[in-house]
Amino acid sequence: QVQLVESGGGVVQAGESLRLSCVPSGSYSVINVISWHRQTPGKQRELVASATTSGSTTYADSVKGRFIISRDTAKNIVYLQMTSLKPEDTAIYYCYFDYIRLGKPLVAWGQGTQVTVSS
């Protein structure tokens, strides 16, 4: 099984930037999709950005032009570069992998990292 550990969250002021990192451990044969999601209290977890291994990316309308998802294929670290942060970006951010191990499709979630943007 794959375990994911996020880092890079923190408290910033509106307009500042943060870069989140997601480091996987464990074995897998193929990663199909990597993505970042976020959740605030009382709300459903929402997709922020996703990327397929073919290079296709998707972003939530609220973060288009401000966030970029990327992956260091050598280290298998997944990043979420966040710029021009807004108070409404405050949330716990989760990393997600959709992968295949021993021919079986599996998913993995990280434990989350808190991002707080003050106005």
Side-chain angles (χ1 to χ4, degrees), residues 12-34:
V12 296
Q13 293 192 329
E16 295 185 339
S17 300
L18 277 176
R19 188 178 75 164
L20 305 183
S21 300
C22 174
V23 180
S25 62
S27 63
Y28 54 87
S29 55
V30 176
I31 296 175
N32 294 316
V33 177
I34 57 173

Side-chain angles (χ1 to χ4, degrees), residues 56-106:
S56 173
T57 56
T58 303
Y59 294 93
D61 288 342
S62 59
V63 307
K64 281 181 182 176
R66 299 188 299 122
F67 291 12
I68 297 175
I69 185 171
S70 63
R71 177 184 172 193
D72 182 330
T73 54
K75 299 178 181 178
N76 264 333
I77 299 175
V78 178
Y79 300 103
L80 183 68
Q81 179 67 50
M82 307 185 294
T83 60
S84 302
L85 283 161
K86 305 176 181 180
E88 50 264 43
D89 294 319
T90 295
I92 298 175
Y93 284 71
Y94 298 89
C95 181
Y96 168 91
F97 271 28
D98 178 321
Y99 67 102
I100 295 175
R101 180 176 181 271
L102 300 178
K104 183 178 179 181
L106 297 167

Side-chain angles (χ1 to χ4, degrees), residues 100-119:
I100 295 175
R101 180 176 181 271
L102 300 178
K104 183 178 179 181
L106 297 167
V107 300
W109 288 94
Q111 83 290 348
T113 184
Q114 176 72 49
V115 172
T116 303
V117 184
S118 61
S119 57

